[in-house]
C-alpha cells in the first residue's frame, strides 16, 4: 500500500457512498438513512439493493454484493485498491498522501504508472491529430470503404500512425518523455541492429484501448500494406494486461443493456456501434479469458457471442461460452450465415436482419448440440446412439439441475428418445469439475453462510442472545472478522462499524460485514422460521467445533467441554426464542 493509512480513512469518511452509487443506479430514500434501488452488479426487475448512509455500507439481497464505498468502486470499475483511492481522491479534490515508510519504492512505482498513463494520452492525441489533419489518401479511401465517418472517429478516438521511423518518439520527447519510459511503456522499441529507438506503430490505423475509467491504456493498430502482423497490440506493461480488458467496454457500460454482444475484432465493435448496437465489445487479439468474464460480469449476466463464421471462430465461440458459463452468465451463440463476421453481415443484410438473427439465436448448449448433430446420420441407429452419448455428456456437465431437466425434456422431444434413457446415460458420465474435483451431475447452487446468518440475526435482535447464551460463544465462528463480530455481540458491546471497516479492508471481509450489518433477512421476522434457523445453525456450528477440538486438542478439560456442548444440543428444542423490544 503506497498511500498513508490515515489518508485512506479520510477518503472513505469524506466520500458519501450514496452520492457515488447514485451515479450507477437510481436510488429511492426509505427512512432517515436508508436508500434502495436496483443492483448495479446484476440485472433485476425489482430493487434488492440497499444502502445505509449512516454506516456508509451497501448490500444486495439478490446477488450478495456488499461493502463500503471503496469496495464498491473497486468491484464496479474493476480497479485495484490503489487505483480506487486515486479515483476517489480525484473526485473529491483531495491531494494524494503517501506512506513514508515505503515512500521510495511505492512512489516510484506509482509515478511510473502515472507517467505511462500520461504519455499514452498524449500519444492518442498525436495519432488522432494525424488522422484528422494529416490523413494520406489511401487511409481516407479505407475509412470511406468501411463507412467510418467523423462522428465514429471521434467516438472511438481513432488515429493514424504515420509511416515514419520515429515521429511519435520525437513528439513525446518534446513533451518530456524519457527513452526508458517510452520503451517500457511499449510506445517505442529499440532496434536490435542499430540500437536506435523507433515507433512501435507505423503506417497503421490506430484503435485506442480505453479502460472502464476512460484512461488510454494501450493501442491496437491495423497495418496498411503487406507488413505482418495485420493487427498489432501494445505489449503488456504496468498499465496494460490484455487478458484483463475488453475493447469498447468504456462505451457499452454507459447504458444499461439487457445483454452484451461479444465479438472478435475492433472493426466488428465499431460496425456494430455504428448500427446502434452499443452493447458490443471485443477481446483484445487473444482468446477470451476468465478475467475478462469477471470484468464483464460487473455489467451484465447475459452475452451473445458473434465470432467469425469460419472453423477457428466457431471453435473460439465454444471456448468463450464455457468460460462465460463457468462465471455464471447466460450465453447464446450466433453463427452468421452468408457473412464471415458481423461487420460484413451488417453491410450485406443490414442491422434489422442482424437483430432478428440475435433474437432467434440458440443458447450455447443447443448450439453445441446442433453442431454435434451435423456430424451424425440420425437415421442410422449406431450413429444416433453415438450422438446421444455425446449429448448426454454435455448435459451431465450442466451444474443447474433445473436447466438439466429442461434440456432433457427438449432433447427427448426433438430426437424421440425416452427421458429416462438420457438420464441413465448422464449418470454414467463421470465428469470432473475443474474447480473442485467434484462430480458435476448435481446442482452446485451456492449455500447461505450460516455463520453470517446467525450473526446478522444477533446484530439486529441483540436480546435473542439471552436465550441462547449457553450455546453460542465467539470460538464457534471462523477466526477473523466473523469471530471479531461474534465477540462484540456475545459481550453485548457496541460494534464500531468504522473501526471494523478499517480493520478488515479485504473485499470478501467487507461483504461479510455489510451482509451482517445491512443485510437483515426479513424472513427471520417470522418466529417459527427464526427458531428453526437458530437451532439448526447452532447444531451445525457446535458439531463442527466438537469435531475440530477432538482432532487438534490434547487438553482433557477442553475435550470434555466440547463433548458436553454436543451432548446438550437436545436442549435446543426447549428454548423459547423470541425477539424482545429494545
Amino acid at each position: 500500500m503506497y498511500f498513508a493509512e490515515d489518508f485512506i480513512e479520510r477518503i472513505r469518511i469524506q466520500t458519501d457512498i450514496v452520492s457515488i452509487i447514485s451515479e450507477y443506479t437510481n436510488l429511492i430514500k426509505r427512512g432517515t438513512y436508508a436508500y434502495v434501488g436496483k443492483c448495479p452488479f446484476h440485472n433485476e426487475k425489482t430493487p434488492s439493493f440497499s444502502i445505509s448512509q449512516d454506516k456508509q455500507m451497501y448490500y444486495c439481497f439478490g446477488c450478495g454484493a456488499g461493502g463500503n464505498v471503496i469496495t464498491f468502486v473497486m468491484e464496479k470499475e474493476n480497479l485495484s485498491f490503489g487505483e480506487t483511492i486515486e479515483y476517489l481522491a480525484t473526485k473529491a479534490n483531495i491531494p494524494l498522501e503517501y506512506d513514508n515508510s515505503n515512500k521510495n519504492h511505492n512512489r516510484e512505482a506509482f509515478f511510473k504508472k502515472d507517467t505511462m498513463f500520461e504519455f499514452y494520452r498524449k500519444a492518442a492525441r498525436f495519432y488522432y491529430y494525424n488522422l484528422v489533419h494529416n490523413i494520406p489518401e489511401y487511409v481516407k479511401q479505407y475509412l470511406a470503404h468501411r463507412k467510418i465517418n467523423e462522428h465514429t472517429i471521434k467516438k472511438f478516438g481513432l488515429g493514424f500512425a504515420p509511416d515514419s521511423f520515429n515521429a511519435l518518439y520525437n513528439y513525446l520527447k518534446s513533451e518530456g518523455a524519457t527513452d526508458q519510459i517510452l520503451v517500457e511503456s511499449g510506445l517505442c522499441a529499440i532496434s536490435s541492429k542499430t540500437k536506435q529507438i523507433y515507433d512501435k506503430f507505423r503506417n497503421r490505423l490506430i484503435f485506442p484501448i480505453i479502460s472502464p475509467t476512460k484512461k488510454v491504456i494501450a493501442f491496437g493498430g491495423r497495418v496498411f500494406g503487406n507488413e505482418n502482423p495485420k493487427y498489432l497490440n501494445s505489449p503488456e506493461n504496468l498499465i496494460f494486461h490484455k487478458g484483463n480488458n475488453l475493447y469498447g467496454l468504456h462505451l457499452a457500460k454507459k447504458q444499461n443493456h439487457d445483454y452484451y454482444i461479444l465479438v472478435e475484432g475492433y472493426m466488428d465493435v465499431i460496425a456494430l456501434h455504428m448500427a446502434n448496437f452499443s452493447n458490443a465489445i471485443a477481446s483484445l487479439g487473444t482468446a477470451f479469458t476468465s478475467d475478462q468474464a469477471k470484468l464483464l460480469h460487473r455489467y451484465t449476466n447475459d452475452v451473445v457471442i458473434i465470432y467469425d463464421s469460419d472453423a477457428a471462430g466457431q471453435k473460439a465461440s465454444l471456448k468463450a461460452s464455457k468460460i462465460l458459463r463457468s462465471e455464471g452468465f447466460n450465453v447464446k451463440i450466433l453463427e452468421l450465415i452468408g457473412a464471415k463476421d458481423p461487420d460484413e453481415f451488417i453491410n450485406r443484410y443490414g442491422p434489422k436482419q442482424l437483430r432478428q438473427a440475435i433474437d432467434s439465436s440458440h443458447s450455447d448448449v443447443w448450439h453445441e448440440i446442433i453442431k454435434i448433430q451435423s456430424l451424425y446420420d440420425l437415421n442410422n441407429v449406431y450413429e444416433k446412439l453415438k450422438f446421444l452419448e455425446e449429448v448426454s455428456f454435455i448435459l451431465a456437465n450442466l451444474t443447474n439441475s433445473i436447466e438439466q431437466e429442461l434440456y432433457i425434456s427438449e432433447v427427448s422431444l426433438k430426437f424421440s428418445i425416452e427421458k429416462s434413457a438420457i438420464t441413465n446415460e448422464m449418470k454414467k458420465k463421470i465428469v470432473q469439475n475443474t474447480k473442485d474435483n467434484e462430480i458435476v451431475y448435481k446442482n452446485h447452487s451456492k449455500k447461505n453462510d450460516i455463520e453470517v446468518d446467525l450473526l446478522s440475526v444477533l446484530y439486529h435482535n441483540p436480546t435473542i442472545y439471552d436465550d441462547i447464551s449457553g450455546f453460542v460463544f465467539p470460538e464457534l465462528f471462523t477466526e477473523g472478522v466473523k469471530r471479531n463480530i461474534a465477540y462484540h455481540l456475545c459481550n453485548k458491546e457496541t460494534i464500531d462499524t468504522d473501526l471494523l471497516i478499517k480493520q478488515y479492508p479485504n473485499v470478501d471481509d467487507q461483504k461479510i460485514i455489510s451482509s451482517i450489518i445491512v443485510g437483515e433477512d426479513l424472513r427471520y421476522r417470522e418466529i417459527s422460521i427464526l427458531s428453526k434457523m437458530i437451532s439448526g445453525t447452532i447444531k451445525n456450528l457446535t458439531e463442527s467445533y466438537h469435531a475440530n477440538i477432538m482432532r487438534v486438542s490434547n487438553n482433557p478439560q477442553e475435550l470434555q467441554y466440547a463433548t458436553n456442548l454436543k451432548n446438550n444440543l437436545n436442549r435446543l428444542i426447549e428454548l423459547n426464542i423470541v425477539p424482545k423490544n429494545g
Side-chain angles (χ1 to χ4, degrees), residues 199-371:
D199 293 352
K200 187 75 173 177
F201 297 95
R202 290 171 291 172
N203 195 30
R204 290 177 182 268
L205 181 65
I206 296 296
F207 302 87
I209 297 167
I210 301 173
S211 73
T213 54
K214 301 179 182 178
K215 288 186 176 181
V216 180
I217 56 175
F219 296 110
R222 184 204 184 278
V223 74
F224 292 101
N226 298 320
E227 185 183 340
N228 284 315
K230 182 178 178 181
Y231 280 93
L232 179 68
N233 274 346
S234 296
E236 296 199 348
N237 52 53
L238 276 176
I239 64 172
F240 176 58
H241 302 281
K242 60 184 178 182
N244 295 353
N245 295 280
L246 291 162
Y247 182 70
L249 182 60
H250 71 291
L251 295 172
K253 79 184 197 65
K254 288 182 177 180
Q255 302 177 41
N256 291 323
H257 296 292
D258 292 334
Y259 64 92
Y260 275 54
I261 300 172
L262 177 63
V263 295
E264 289 188 82
Y266 303 116
M267 285 306 307
D268 290 326
V269 171
I270 292 172
L272 285 164
H273 278 253
M274 288 194 298
N276 292 321
F277 293 91
S278 59
N279 51 345
I281 48 140
S283 52
L284 300 169
T286 183
F288 189 76
T289 68
S290 59
D291 286 333
Q292 288 172 325
K294 288 181 175 69
L295 170 60
L296 186 55
H297 223 322
R298 306 289 184 227
Y299 309 102
T300 188
N301 292 320
D302 301 276
V303 173
V304 177
I305 301 173
I306 314 179
Y307 279 5
D308 290 358
S309 58
D310 59 14
Q314 290 308 296
K315 186 177 180 181
S317 292
L318 291 175
K319 286 185 177 179
S321 71
K322 285 177 170 54
I323 292 171
L324 288 163
R325 177 174 280 273
S326 71
E327 294 294 337
F329 285 87
N330 303 311
V331 188
K332 288 185 174 183
I333 298 176
L334 173 58
E335 184 175 353
L336 297 173
I337 306 298
K340 71 178 189 306
D341 56 37
D343 184 17
E344 184 178 292
F345 189 95
I346 290 171
N347 284 323
R348 186 169 293 178
Y349 303 107
K352 184 178 179 181
Q353 196 75 12
L354 179 61
R355 196 169 295 280
Q356 289 175 354
I358 290 172
D359 292 341
S360 60
S361 60
H362 295 292
S363 70
D364 56 333
V365 175
W366 262 117
H367 178 82
E368 192 169 3
I369 291 172
I370 291 168
K371 298 297 285 185

Side-chain angles (χ1 to χ4, degrees), residues 37 75 103 119 561:
E75 297 224 295
K103 184 175 181 179
F119 284 114
Y561 177 70

Side-chain angles (χ1 to χ4, degrees), residues 137-154:
E137 185 60 32
Y138 60 90
V139 178
K140 189 181 294 185
Q141 290 175 5
Y142 175 82
L143 295 176
H145 174 69
R146 303 306 291 258
K147 300 178 182 178
I148 297 176
N149 56 27
E150 290 183 10
H151 172 75
T152 300
I153 290 171
K154 186 174 182 180

Side-chain angles (χ1 to χ4, degrees), residues 2 70 74 77-85 113:
Y2 46 77
I70 295 173
M74 284 176 68
E77 296 293 348
N78 199 40
L79 300 178
S80 68
F81 181 81
E83 289 170 335
T84 300
I85 296 301
K113 193 173 181 180

Side-chain angles (χ1 to χ4, degrees), residues 546-564:
H546 175 264
N548 185 58
I549 293 297
M550 294 296 113
R551 186 172 62 254
V552 303
S553 179
N554 293 318
N555 185 321
Q557 291 181 325
E558 195 171 35
L559 292 169
Q560 187 59 51
Y561 177 70
T563 301
N564 290 341

